[in-house]
Amino acid sequence: MPDLTPLWLSLALAGSTTLVLLLVGTPIAWWLAGTKSKIKPVIEAFTALPLVLPPTVLGFYFLILLGPAAPIGAFWVSITGNTLTFSFVGLVMASVIYSLPFMIQPVQNAFERTGRKSLEAAATLHASPLDAFFSVALPAARRGYVVAAVLTFAHTLGEFGIVLMVGGNIPGKTRVLSIAIYEHVETLNYGDAHFLSAGLLVFSFFALLFTYTFMRGHYRHAS
Amino acid sequence: MPVETNSVLSIDLSLTLGDFSMHIKNELRFDGVLGLFGPSGAGKSTLLRIIAGLERKGIGTLKFTQQCWQDTAKRQFTAAHLRSVGFVFQDSRLFEHLSVAENIEYANRRATKGNANISVDEIIEIFDLRRLMRRQVGDLSGGECKRVAIARALAAQPQLLLLDEPLAGLDIQRKAEILPYLDALQNRFDLPMIYVSHAVDEMARVAKHIVVMNLGRISAVGNAADVLSDLPTLGTASGIESASALTATVKRPITDFGLTELSLCGQNFSVPIQRQLTAGDAATLYIRASDVALATSKPSGLSIRNVLAGSVISIDTLDRAGSETFAIVTVNIGGATLRAQLTRQSISELGLQIETKVFALVKTASFNRF
């Protein structure tokens, strides 16, 4: 039985990232779903970047951006006394960017499906735009949110490169599951590597299985 | 005694959307249902959207009774959710994440306060929704969706109800099922309503007054009977479908076969039972040109009951899409005129000319209720 601290750390990281992204991703997805702005494709491309960039590229820029020499990193040091790099908070910030498309795209699609039409109907029933957002757009997008949350959570659990670069390998602080597996393999501790790898494999499979079954039911229901 | 004031909608607005431009300057007074009639693309739906506050690009003023909803010069625009306007959309737009009951509850919870004169129980009863209340919206039929959509709009306690082709997409039978609900709605609530449609039969059935719109402008306003009688002249000019308005007297209100028998210029004409009529009543019938066929000899062995003898007065080409295929044949039936839309091939094969004796076969006719 290997040390399970990396597992709890991974779950905490994935959970925090998902929560932050629910809050940050919603307005972005909402804006993207409704806008006719010319810069929409620019923002869409930007939010989709983590899908194609090697994690090392993101990790490298984060290392610089969050480092004590950069404004964000320096500000953090001035209020907490610790650096953002090689800390749990720094990892959450990097993960939020890394998993951004997994939150935005399903939620944006869900908002687009609800569309302007339902919101107009809500307006003629005396719902203010804010009321219509919470009473029509959000509940109608709930399936999109479930898919987005599951994918974001699973994707964050599986990240490796960006964590290694921004967080390093500090036991109990930044040594998450994927790093622990790497460490076990490096030290030829295959038993523990098997244990953690198989766990992650099974979890990821079921997360995806859930997502695909759920989406299929959704589209069948809608058509 | 207070002077009774009917609701008035004052519109003085211009709008340009791409190629389409609209100019409306009219005072619309409400007394019963106001039909907004015109061919597709005339701007009927756009006008409704402007009235509801869903279309912000109009320039000018819009007032409903005492309330100013829009005044571009004063930079005033009342947002859609702050206007007491109910809107029944062509595509219903029910909230799919809610049940029927929850859709109606959604509207009623947001109803304008101090304006509640329509009881939800009454709406449910009138639209016969008791059975459907717990259903999910996705499980409703087309006709049921329409009923729920109208009920939901009413539950928000509007002061003005806009219906944008509420029966679009339903077949004749489904339409006939919904129309009595609209009658009940009119009889029960004294609510100003604008009813948009491009179908003559719906207009004849529903509207007391009619506004005709064409190419973004209002081309006629008046009593339903007057406007509909003028339609043939309006129609050729504006691309509205051709129809005839004919006056008939009731001979026997109820026959054994569930029909009402009329006398139309001395000839028999029967229609599905009209319980509101008694013997001797005069009634105006609307017959769409596309519901009339012509024969040169008296047909026998035919299921169509209404065959009227007459002679051809004129043959006119259509001034709209379909002119290469169809033409309008006008027939004199004992003094009244009836229009038939035939293919040019039929006209040629039957050898129709002016003064040819013909028998007109009428498939369906509709009534104006007023």
Side-chain angles (χ1 to χ4, degrees):
Chain A
M1 186 80 174
D3 175 19
L4 287 183
T5 321
L7 173 65
W8 308 134
L9 199 61
S10 272
L11 292 177
L13 178 63
S16 323
T17 304
T18 308
L19 276 180
V20 172
L21 267 179
L22 281 172
L23 295 176
V24 174
T26 297
I28 301 175
W30 179 249
W31 183 82
L32 284 173
T35 187
K36 286 176 186 157
S37 164
K38 280 180 190 149
I39 63 162
K40 175 181 170 174
V42 178
I43 304 296
E44 275 182 314
F46 194 76
T47 55
L49 268 182
L51 288 175
V52 294
L53 278 180
T56 42
V57 172
L58 280 179
F60 173 61
Y61 284 120
F62 264 108
L63 202 55
I64 290 172
L65 200 68
L66 303 182
I72 301 175
F75 176 72
W76 187 260
V77 172
S78 75
I79 57 168
T80 65
N82 297 310
T83 58
L84 258 181
T85 43
F86 309 106
S87 76
F88 183 76
V89 176
L91 271 193
V92 172
M93 292 171 84
S95 300
V96 162
I97 300 299
Y98 183 57
S99 292
L100 194 63
F102 292 84
M103 178 61 70
I104 301 248
Q105 287 176 3
V107 174
Q108 183 187 340
N109 289 343
F111 284 148
E112 278 167 357
R113 288 165 62 88
T114 318
R116 199 173 54 103
K117 290 185 165 189
S118 293
L119 297 173
E120 282 187 354
T124 65
L125 300 172
H126 306 138
S128 69
L130 193 68
D131 179 3
F133 175 77
F134 284 107
S135 61
V136 175
L138 270 193
R142 64 190 188 280
R143 282 170 166 271
Y145 271 103
V146 172
V147 169
V150 171
L151 286 180
T152 304
F153 191 90
H155 185 245
T156 311
L157 272 191
E159 68 179 309
F160 173 72
I162 200 166
V163 178
L164 191 62
M165 293 194 64
V166 176
N169 182 6
I170 306 165
K173 252 176 99 185
T174 63
R175 183 189 286 175
V176 295
L177 215 46
S178 55
I179 308 268
I181 293 168
Y182 180 68
E183 178 106 344
H184 289 318
V185 174
E186 287 286 278
T187 55
L188 300 179
N189 187 358
Y190 280 17
D192 286 354
H194 266 306
F195 187 87
L196 295 179
S197 300
L200 202 54
L201 185 89
V202 170
F203 174 83
S204 303
F205 174 75
F206 279 106
L208 290 174
L209 182 66
F210 169 80
T211 308
Y212 283 115
T213 336
F214 195 73
M215 285 203 295
R216 209 167 135 203
H218 182 30
Y219 290 113
R220 187 183 296 152
H221 184 77
S223 59
Chain B
M1 230 179 93
V3 181
E4 197 175 310
T5 50
N6 281 330
S7 309
V8 185
L9 186 66
S10 312
I11 311 170
D12 184 357
L13 275 166
S14 300
L15 171 83
T16 309
L17 284 176
D19 292 343
F20 176 78
S21 79
M22 184 158 109
H23 296 281
I24 304 281
K25 187 172 165 62
N26 261 91
E27 282 217 333
L28 304 176
R29 289 176 185 278
F30 290 93
D31 171 21
V33 174
L34 183 70
L36 181 53
F37 182 65
S40 303
K44 307 185 296 292
S45 297
T46 308
L47 179 57
L48 280 203
R49 292 177 56 81
I50 288 178
I51 296 170
L54 297 174
E55 175 56 70
R56 287 174 163 265
K57 292 193 179 119
I59 294 167
T61 59
L62 178 69
K63 292 190 179 83
F64 179 67
T65 313
Q66 315 294 349
Q67 311 156 40
C68 178
W69 281 343
Q70 183 176 351
D71 191 339
T72 312
K74 293 182 186 160
R75 294 169 170 271
Q76 200 247 320
F77 186 93
T78 307
H81 69 278
L82 300 173
R83 302 184 185 192
S84 302
V85 176
F87 204 118
V88 179
F89 295 91
Q90 213 177 105
D91 47 357
S92 302
R93 302 194 186 180
L94 298 175
F95 300 136
E96 292 190 357
H97 64 286
L98 301 176
S99 68
V100 170
E102 287 163 343
N103 265 278
I104 291 171
E105 169 63 19
Y106 185 98
N108 198 237
R109 214 178 322 131
R110 292 168 174 80
T112 320
K113 287 197 178 53
N115 201 13
N117 39 25
I118 303 175
S119 104
V120 171
D121 284 340
E122 214 176 343
I123 298 169
I124 293 169
E125 186 208 319
I126 288 178
F127 287 92
D128 202 9
L129 298 177
R130 192 79 58 196
R131 234 166 19 85
L132 303 179
M133 291 301 271
R134 291 168 72 183
R135 291 247 217 113
Q136 284 302 306
V137 168
D139 301 331
L140 297 177
S141 73
E144 288 167 344
C145 277
K146 308 280 184 190
R147 270 153 60 199
V148 176
I150 301 171
R152 183 180 70 171
L154 286 171
Q157 310 292 342
Q159 288 177 301
L160 171 64
L161 184 63
L162 309 176
L163 302 115
D164 188 7
E165 309 230 15
L167 303 188
L170 297 182
D171 56 35
I172 292 174
Q173 217 176 338
R174 298 280 167 278
K175 273 192 186 181
E177 279 171 30
I178 306 274
L179 282 166
Y181 291 108
L182 290 174
D183 294 341
L185 162 66
Q186 287 188 58
N187 296 337
R188 208 63 160 266
F189 308 115
D190 182 23
L191 182 66
M193 285 187 245
I194 302 183
Y195 188 101
V196 164
S197 177
H198 64 265
V200 177
D201 50 344
E202 258 176 79
M203 272 297 136
R205 173 69 193 264
V206 173
K208 188 168 179 184
H209 298 277
I210 291 181
V211 171
V212 181
M213 235 185 129
N214 199 19
L215 300 170
R217 281 161 181 79
I218 287 178
S219 54
V221 185
N223 275 330
D226 297 344
V227 173
L228 289 175
S229 307
D230 285 343
L231 273 190
T233 37
L234 282 168
T236 47
S238 59
I240 296 167
E241 63 174 338
S242 294
S244 322
L246 302 153
T247 309
T249 21
V250 179
K251 263 165 70 181
R252 288 203 292 156
I254 301 170
T255 70
D256 295 343
F257 290 103
L259 296 169
T260 293
E261 210 169 272
L262 309 166
S263 168
L264 186 64
C265 305
Q267 307 192 47
N268 275 344
F269 196 93
S270 37
V271 292
I273 200 154
Q274 305 290 316
R275 295 187 190 280
Q276 76 275 24
L277 300 176
T278 51
D281 276 356
T284 311
L285 277 174
Y286 297 91
I287 300 171
R288 302 198 310 200
S290 52
D291 285 337
V292 180
L294 297 180
T296 45
S297 57
K298 182 152 187 170
S300 62
L302 202 65
S303 68
I304 292 181
R305 295 276 310 143
N306 293 314
V307 179
L308 301 163
S311 60
V312 174
I313 308 173
S314 66
I315 301 174
D316 303 295
T317 51
L318 282 178
D319 184 18
R320 60 179 155 102
S323 63
E324 70 274 25
T325 315
F326 295 103
I328 296 289
V329 179
T330 309
V331 179
N332 177 4
I333 302 201
T337 53
L338 179 66
R339 287 172 179 77
Q341 179 177 316
L342 305 187
T343 60
R344 288 176 50 220
Q345 187 181 7
S346 298
I347 293 170
S348 152
E349 284 174 12
L350 290 172
L352 296 183
Q353 322 173 352
I354 289 170
E355 301 214 327
T356 308
K357 300 282 177 218
V358 289
F359 294 88
L361 287 66
V362 180
K363 276 177 252 168
T364 50
S366 45
F367 273 93
N368 186 226
R369 298 170 56 255
F370 306 99

